Amino acid sequence: DLAIDIIRYNHRSMQGEIELKKKILISLGSELEPKRKELQVLNKQLSEDIFFMLNNMNLRHNNRSKKDMCKYKEYVAKMTKARLEKWYDELYQMMLLAFLLLDNVDRTENVKELKEKIIGG
């Protein structure tokens, strides 16, 4: 499902489909959540930025409605849909980077072992 969501999200072909983008970003966020501590170690700023945006950019919470003032963010509420969508596209890129960084942990170890075999052999 993760791979399908990553492939489905396309800035151009999905332009204007903010609700579909939102759904995919929430899904990707759910996949990242259990890996949050590991991501924090790899890139603290990226981790903080991703989860800040998930929680404050009208994705996980309704940040555009004054009905829940605890979650309401005036700046987000005043954003045009086009501006909000641009930030969704940026968040998507950041999440891709996060998944790549997490996958690279094993890859780095494998390359280290390969180097040892080549140099040691």
Side-chain angles (χ1 to χ4, degrees):
D1 289 344
L2 174 63
I4 291 170
D5 281 342
I6 288 173
I7 292 168
R8 281 181 44 206
Y9 197 109
N10 183 290
H11 298 76
R12 290 187 180 86
S13 69
M14 288 178 59
Q15 187 172 1
E17 294 190 46
I18 196 166
E19 289 303 316
L20 182 54
K21 288 182 176 185
K22 181 177 176 176
K23 182 180 174 188
I24 292 171
L25 291 172
I26 292 168
S27 175
L28 295 177
S30 294
E31 291 290 327
L32 270 179
E33 189 71 47
K35 301 171 185 177
R36 189 174 184 170
K37 287 182 181 177
E38 186 179 353
L39 179 59
Q40 189 86 5
V41 170
L42 296 171
N43 189 323
K44 182 179 179 183
Q45 188 65 57
L46 180 64
S47 178
E48 289 175 359
D49 290 348
I50 287 171
F51 290 100
F52 173 84
M53 291 176 75
L54 283 168
N55 291 321
N56 293 283
M57 295 295 296
N58 204 48
L59 290 159
R60 289 181 168 174
H61 309 290
N62 186 347
N63 303 115
R64 294 172 67 109
S65 172
K66 288 186 177 181
K67 290 180 183 177
D68 187 355
M69 289 305 288
C70 291
K71 307 254 190 283
Y72 178 74
K73 307 293 181 200
E74 183 178 1
Y75 186 79
V76 175
K78 290 182 177 182
M79 274 186 191
T80 63
K81 285 192 176 188
R83 186 73 182 139
L84 189 61
E85 183 176 5
K86 182 184 178 332
W87 279 113
Y88 286 2
D89 293 345
E90 292 296 324
L91 177 58
Y92 171 76
Q93 296 293 332
M94 293 163 59
M95 293 171 104
L96 283 182
L97 178 57
F99 284 114
L100 288 171
L101 283 171
L102 290 163
D103 285 348
N104 203 52
V105 171
D106 288 338
R107 189 174 298 111
T108 299
E109 187 58 36
N110 291 338
V111 170
K112 180 181 174 186
E113 290 174 15
L114 176 65
K115 285 178 179 179
E116 290 171 358
K117 289 176 182 176
I118 291 172
I119 294 170

